[in-house]
Amino acid sequence: MPITAEKATTPVGDCSPLGEPFSIGSLLSCIMSSSDLRVALIGSTGYTALEVARLLLTHPSAELVIATSRQDEGKPLSEIHPMLAGRCDVTLQPLDADVIAKSADVAMCCLPHGASAESVKQLAGAGMRVIDFSADFRLSSLETYEHWYGVKHPWPERIGNVVYGMPEFFADEIRSADIVANPGCYPTSAIMPLAPLVKAGLIETEDIIVDSKSGVSGAGRSPKLGTLYCETNESISAYAVGTHRHAPEIADLVERIAGAAIEVMFTPHLTPMDRGILSTIYVKPAGKAGSVEDAVRAMMSLLRDTYADQPCVHVVDHLPATKYVAGTNQVQISVRPSGKRAVIVCAIDNLTKGASGAAVQNMNVMFGLPETAGLLM
């Protein structure tokens, strides 16, 4: 179970201890504090950091108060991200966990793996609640992490002891967590449809094929040869075939949610668009479900029942597309028969539900706010 942070015991806006009446003063204090959730952005130069800042601009109960950058200290965040000009005047500062803990309630850590874990450890040690965007705390096995990421983990005792930031399955744990491991973008598009179907025994757990295509923003903002305009424009390419680090995350989380191990073949592709992920997943219906058409109807019914009360997940009759979810925190899922298999199609925006939107959703759950606050649905 995740460690419970003392700062988590009172949701934002709940200013009176249980059983004690409100005074006028405490009521006014509560009204003021209910819109005063203070957010620190750790590692502020990438696309996910920009998306967090953009979402917080319109959040009714939270604001960005601190942004850090080691290489751009002293610059305004709007100089790094001109989209924020005139709307966000936060000045970039170095990471000092004790200083940040005095000025913010929650930290969103947008650092790369390895470097992120050390910073998360410092922030949590200073009493901060942290949402970590890296893969440093997503996996349940230290051995698996160090094999796939090729580094020694700086806080190994927390591997397998941090809640995965998918409120659709782990909301109760997220509410009291000191650290939340924000999901990977590709895994979100695979876990959402697969986990309920595996748990219900509607699909075979072997020979699952996940074919995913992502916009170029998924590769990050740092310049790389493979993401230059002339390399990506008018082209689509597979990469990291058989070696992508999100494959073990998909398998690990489906097993945690569904209680059954899966065999998954995951292949990512880079497509010439800014944002979005479309995953096409090929599965075999399990048992004696009758025709594939009957199996698909059962899958659609099960998915609709699973997500009926989840505001961010929509099981749809049309085929999902990245354009339908762009800029939103939506997940769109549909299933079709094809020969002896069922084909699941799932679309998300990699920068929102695949990263920053999920982080805001997790923050809302952690602090007792409406789950979709600040998110475009």
Side-chain angles (χ1 to χ4, degrees):
M1 293 296 293
I3 296 173
T4 300
E6 290 185 7
K7 296 177 76 173
T9 56
T10 303
V12 172
D14 185 6
C15 304
S16 176
L18 186 64
E20 294 186 14
F22 276 115
S23 67
I24 295 298
S26 65
L27 179 58
L28 290 174
S29 174
C30 184
I31 291 171
M32 293 175 66
S33 66
S34 67
S35 60
D36 216 12
L37 178 59
R38 303 163 301 168
V39 182
L41 189 55
I42 312 301
S44 304
T45 59
Y47 292 130
T48 56
L50 169 59
E51 192 76 356
V52 168
R54 185 185 69 81
L55 292 171
L56 291 177
L57 286 174
T58 57
H59 197 291
S61 305
E63 63 175 327
L64 180 64
V65 297
I66 292 175
T68 76
S69 173
R70 184 175 57 184
Q71 60 190 25
D72 292 300
E73 177 186 347
K75 296 180 181 178
L77 184 61
S78 60
E79 182 177 327
I80 306 301
H81 300 297
M83 180 186 289
L84 302 175
R87 299 191 289 165
C88 181
D89 58 1
V90 174
T91 299
L92 293 165
Q93 63 185 61
L95 172 58
D96 185 318
D98 292 327
V99 170
I100 293 170
K102 292 176 182 177
S103 302
D105 304 298
V106 60
M108 295 197 182
C109 197
C110 301
L111 297 171
H113 68 267
S116 189
E118 185 58 48
S119 297
V120 171
K121 184 177 182 180
Q122 294 175 25
L123 291 161
M128 294 286 297
R129 303 183 78 185
V130 186
I131 299 168
D132 180 37
F133 282 56
S134 81
D136 285 349
F137 300 99
R138 293 176 189 159
L139 299 172
S140 57
S141 162
L142 178 63
E143 181 181 1
T144 301
Y145 172 84
E146 294 185 345
H147 169 76
W148 282 89
Y149 287 87
V151 295
K152 289 291 183 181
H153 201 285
W155 201 6
E157 58 267 34
R158 289 307 301 266
I159 293 291
N161 192 28
V162 170
V163 61
Y164 194 75
M166 196 170 274
E168 291 80 7
F169 298 108
F170 302 109
D172 288 343
E173 294 92 333
I174 291 169
R175 288 187 185 97
S176 60
D178 62 335
I179 303 169
V180 171
N182 215 50
C185 52
Y186 281 129
T188 295
S189 69
I191 294 164
M192 286 289 191
L194 284 175
L197 298 178
V198 172
K199 185 174 183 178
L202 293 183
I203 61 174
E204 298 289 347
T205 57
E206 297 180 349
D207 195 23
I208 296 171
I209 300 169
V210 179
D211 182 292
S212 297
K213 297 169 176 66
S214 174
V216 182
S217 60
R221 200 180 183 197
S222 299
K224 310 175 187 71
L225 175 61
T227 58
L228 296 177
Y229 178 82
C230 288
E231 301 294 326
T232 59
N233 187 48
E234 299 294 338
S235 178
I236 182 169
S237 58
Y239 66 99
V241 176
T243 62
H244 199 283
R245 292 161 171 169
H246 280 163
E249 184 178 339
I250 294 169
D252 187 6
L253 266 297
V254 170
E255 180 172 359
R256 274 193 250 173
I257 296 166
I262 64 168
E263 176 191 288
V264 60
M265 178 184 294
F266 169 65
T267 304
H269 299 75
L270 194 63
T271 63
M273 60 185 183
D274 290 344
R275 56 198 297 164
I277 285 178
L278 186 76
S279 287
T280 308
I281 305 169
Y282 304 90
V283 298
K284 294 179 180 178
K288 299 178 180 179
S291 68
V292 174
E293 288 77 10
D294 289 339
V296 166
R297 280 191 286 271
M299 292 178 201
M300 288 284 284
S301 178
L302 185 278
L303 290 169
R304 285 197 170 101
D305 289 345
T306 299
Y307 294 117
D309 298 322
Q310 299 297 333
C312 297
V313 187
H314 305 284
V315 181
V316 297
D317 291 324
H318 62 263
L319 286 173
T322 57
K323 184 173 287 188
Y324 304 157
V325 298
T328 78
N329 211 53
Q330 287 188 43
V331 181
Q332 286 196 0
I333 304 170
S334 198
V335 190
R336 295 288 190 277
S338 181
K340 295 182 180 180
R341 290 183 181 262
V343 179
I344 305 165
V345 182
C346 182
I348 66 168
D349 186 311
N350 61 298
L351 291 179
T352 41
K353 186 57 174 171
S356 306
V360 170
Q361 185 183 357
N362 283 317
M363 178 189 74
N364 292 339
V365 174
M366 292 170 79
F367 289 90
L369 299 171
E371 190 169 326
T372 59
L375 297 170
L376 179 63
M377 301 307 301

